[in-house]
Amino acid sequence: MSENNNKNLPLYAVIFAAIAKLYFLLTHHIQEDAFITWRVAQNLLDYGVIGFNGDTKISASTTHLYVFVSYFFNLIFGKENFIEPLLILNTVLFTIGSLFLAHLLLKNPWHKAIFIFLFGFLPPSIKISVLGMEYGILFFLEMALLYYGFKKEKKWVLIIFPVLILFTRIDTVIFLGIVFLVDVFWNKKVKWSYVLGGIFGISAALAFNWFYFGEIVNNTIVAKKLAYDRIYTLHQDLEYFRLNYGNLWGMLKMPGEFNPFTIVIALFELLCFIFLIRQREKRNYFLWIIFLFAWTKQIIFLSQKSLFDWYYWVPQILLFVPVLIFVLEQKVKRNWWLASLIIFYILPMLAFQTIHSIATGNGEWNYRRSIGLFLNMYEKDKKQWILLEPAGYIPYFSGLKTIDEVGLVDKQIQEEIKKDKPNYLLNTVKKRKPKYLLSYNNLFEGKNRFYYQTHYKLLNEFRIKNHLQSDNKILEKIYKLKPSGTDYNLYEKIKD
């Protein structure tokens, strides 16, 4: 193969990896919170307001930039057809981001091509690409900042990209901060254009929140902190970490409290990182950035009791980067190392994610979406309210105004949590009188049963067991192997 074709190998890998990954679209595995962002985008389209329920402003989505991107995709493709094009964009941007990462860390075009492909089929990479969240765009922006801003030393990138990154997620201040610290330590000087970009980025994000929503911090952060806040002792903190690190630090969730698989992989990642930085190459600068960022973000979010999977996707794949480089650059028995990695890790992880996506897609798209579609057909008045949790699929497909139990999409419930947290749901129902209640529990049992029996009737029971059948026997086995979904009871207010 000619030298020019060799140089193009990474680009070919980007195209091939992006196309190959699109089969995951068939699983309909889309993250619940993506539908919150998309409803916010459609609310902007319909009412001209960034909100969730009509003309009420609220930062119900964690990401501002992705709301605007989703808005334009709704505008261009229509509400019925925008999802697939947007997921394709996320996949392409993530894969281009992996190309930038390969350019930062590898020299050999073949190594870059193999890296892009294997990196792209790790479970978190698949989830970043096709689950509908903002991390495809975010990963692209972060890797572009490192490549063009710190490798190619484009000053305009150092100023503009921090603004875009922080406008995507405010918690990216962790990433930008680690980059700054490593750069100062490594180069013994300050890149003032980058400092300016950071100041602009923080100022733009906070100013937008303040002048548009009247708040400094996104409502989603405030709501989660309020709803999930608990006081822990040091012993409880350590126990909490022990119980949860394995399912969030690694790529494979396992039942039980002890996850030896994650420990083995974490140790191997650390050993590979140490082996690589001992080589004293220029790329160590970027290895330190991605490895320190990944560890820092994991520790911060675990310490803050943040158990949402998507916070850990980018750190999970970045921690695995030294393993891929270590294997690709083996001088002795490299093919053996590579074959072992593919056979014993990449392919099993790909199979795991495929089964997981098929099962979860059934539980979310086929089951939870059906509840929203039922309500959409049953209730024609879209000004009616429903109280439920979570606020993704069902509000999106029902079209009803929504009160979620955490307060992500409705601030009034946060006031009830502050007043009387143990009874805030009942107090909200009494005060707001939503027409529909959707609950995991049987509301006609328990201490508040008399109120619910008096004012509401059971309209429908939704059971996940009724959605575990398929004409395809393989799919049916997967559905039953890993049933995904929660039983719901739907209540309708009795007319006065």
Side-chain angles (χ1 to χ4, degrees), residues 53-116:
N53 294 310
D55 59 2
T56 302
K57 294 179 181 179
I58 186 171
S59 53
S61 172
T62 55
T63 169
H64 296 322
L65 181 64
Y66 192 45
V67 165
F68 290 118
V69 172
S70 301
Y71 165 84
F72 283 112
F73 268 70
N74 272 273
L75 195 64
I76 295 168
F77 295 98
K79 293 180 182 179
E80 303 297 324
N81 303 306
F82 81 95
I83 293 179
E84 285 78 11
L86 185 55
L87 297 184
I88 291 171
L89 173 71
N90 289 343
T91 302
V92 171
L93 288 179
F94 170 80
T95 313
I96 294 173
S98 69
L99 172 66
F100 294 149
L101 184 58
H103 286 328
L104 292 172
L105 301 174
L106 296 163
K107 297 176 182 177
N108 187 306
W110 273 104
H111 291 175
K112 291 179 182 180
I114 297 171
F115 173 89
I116 290 166

Side-chain angles (χ1 to χ4, degrees), residues 309-426:
D309 286 4
W310 49 93
Y311 293 151
Y312 303 88
W313 291 344
V314 173
Q316 284 169 2
I317 54 173
L318 291 181
L319 286 173
F320 199 74
V321 164
V323 175
L324 293 174
I325 299 174
F326 171 79
V327 170
L328 287 170
E329 295 187 346
Q330 284 300 301
K331 298 291 191 296
V332 180
K333 296 184 178 180
R334 180 175 58 201
N335 291 340
W336 181 90
W337 277 96
L338 187 59
S340 298
L341 176 68
I342 293 172
I343 293 171
F344 295 109
Y345 193 84
I346 300 294
L347 289 179
M349 287 291 100
L350 180 59
F352 161 76
Q353 185 58 45
T354 301
I355 292 170
H356 176 71
S357 288
I358 290 171
T360 307
N362 176 64
E364 301 289 346
W365 186 265
N366 295 340
Y367 171 58
R368 207 190 300 263
R369 183 178 68 110
S370 70
I371 302 174
L373 293 174
F374 169 82
L375 280 163
N376 184 273
M377 294 293 294
Y378 183 82
E379 180 55 72
K380 301 302 181 184
D381 181 5
K382 302 309 175 188
K383 293 182 180 180
Q384 295 296 335
W385 290 82
I386 182 171
L387 189 152
L388 50 62
E389 177 63 27
Y393 275 86
I394 296 167
Y396 183 90
F397 287 102
S398 70
L400 298 177
K401 289 192 172 184
T402 302
I403 308 167
D404 70 300
E405 295 180 9
V406 176
L408 298 181
V409 305
D410 183 275
K411 280 190 176 182
Q412 293 182 51
I413 201 168
Q414 295 177 27
E415 297 305 315
E416 298 299 330
I417 295 175
K418 293 175 185 177
K419 292 176 187 176
D420 184 7
K421 192 168 185 177
N423 301 301
Y424 81 96
L425 285 177
L426 179 63

Side-chain angles (χ1 to χ4, degrees), residues 186-373:
W186 193 272
N187 295 307
K188 310 301 184 200
K189 63 179 182 178
V190 175
K191 286 187 173 64
W192 291 108
S193 53
Y194 182 59
V195 173
L196 189 63
I199 293 172
F200 284 162
I202 293 172
S203 301
L206 297 183
F208 181 79
N209 280 350
W210 177 253
F211 288 109
Y212 193 84
F213 298 110
E215 60 195 20
I216 294 294
V217 181
N218 291 38
N219 175 71
T220 51
I221 299 172
V222 175
K224 288 175 182 177
K225 180 69 174 174
L226 186 63
Y228 301 134
D229 190 36
R230 283 180 59 189
I231 298 174
Y232 285 79
T233 64
L234 177 60
H235 174 75
Q236 288 173 321
D237 273 326
L238 294 174
E239 183 69 5
Y240 184 94
F241 181 87
R242 184 182 70 82
L243 293 174
N244 291 292
Y245 86 95
N247 284 338
L248 296 172
W249 212 282
M251 300 178 190
L252 179 64
K253 289 189 175 184
M254 298 178 68
E257 299 178 357
F258 181 66
N259 194 337
F261 183 80
T262 295
I263 295 175
V264 172
I265 296 300
L267 287 175
F268 192 52
E269 289 169 346
L270 185 59
L271 289 173
C272 289
F273 173 73
I274 293 170
F275 175 84
L276 293 176
I277 61 172
R278 284 169 60 87
Q279 296 176 354
R280 300 186 181 278
E281 294 190 15
K282 290 183 179 180
R283 70 176 178 196
N284 289 0
Y285 169 74
F286 296 107
L287 280 173
W288 274 110
I289 287 175
I290 64 173
F291 215 65
L292 284 177
F293 160 67
W295 277 83
T296 302
K297 182 169 182 179
Q298 298 254 41
I299 291 170
I300 289 175
F301 274 73
L302 270 174
S303 69
Q304 295 302 306
K305 319 295 185 299
S306 299
L307 298 186
F308 302 101
D309 286 4
W310 49 93
Y311 293 151
Y312 303 88
W313 291 344
V314 173
Q316 284 169 2
I317 54 173
L318 291 181
L319 286 173
F320 199 74
V321 164
V323 175
L324 293 174
I325 299 174
F326 171 79
V327 170
L328 287 170
E329 295 187 346
Q330 284 300 301
K331 298 291 191 296
V332 180
K333 296 184 178 180
R334 180 175 58 201
N335 291 340
W336 181 90
W337 277 96
L338 187 59
S340 298
L341 176 68
I342 293 172
I343 293 171
F344 295 109
Y345 193 84
I346 300 294
L347 289 179
M349 287 291 100
L350 180 59
F352 161 76
Q353 185 58 45
T354 301
I355 292 170
H356 176 71
S357 288
I358 290 171
T360 307
N362 176 64
E364 301 289 346
W365 186 265
N366 295 340
Y367 171 58
R368 207 190 300 263
R369 183 178 68 110
S370 70
I371 302 174
L373 293 174

Side-chain angles (χ1 to χ4, degrees), residues 461-474:
E461 295 179 332
F462 298 97
R463 300 292 180 261
I464 185 60
K465 67 180 181 180
N466 298 328
H467 285 261
L468 301 181
Q469 294 80 35
S470 173
D471 293 335
N472 186 308
K473 295 304 177 184
I474 295 177

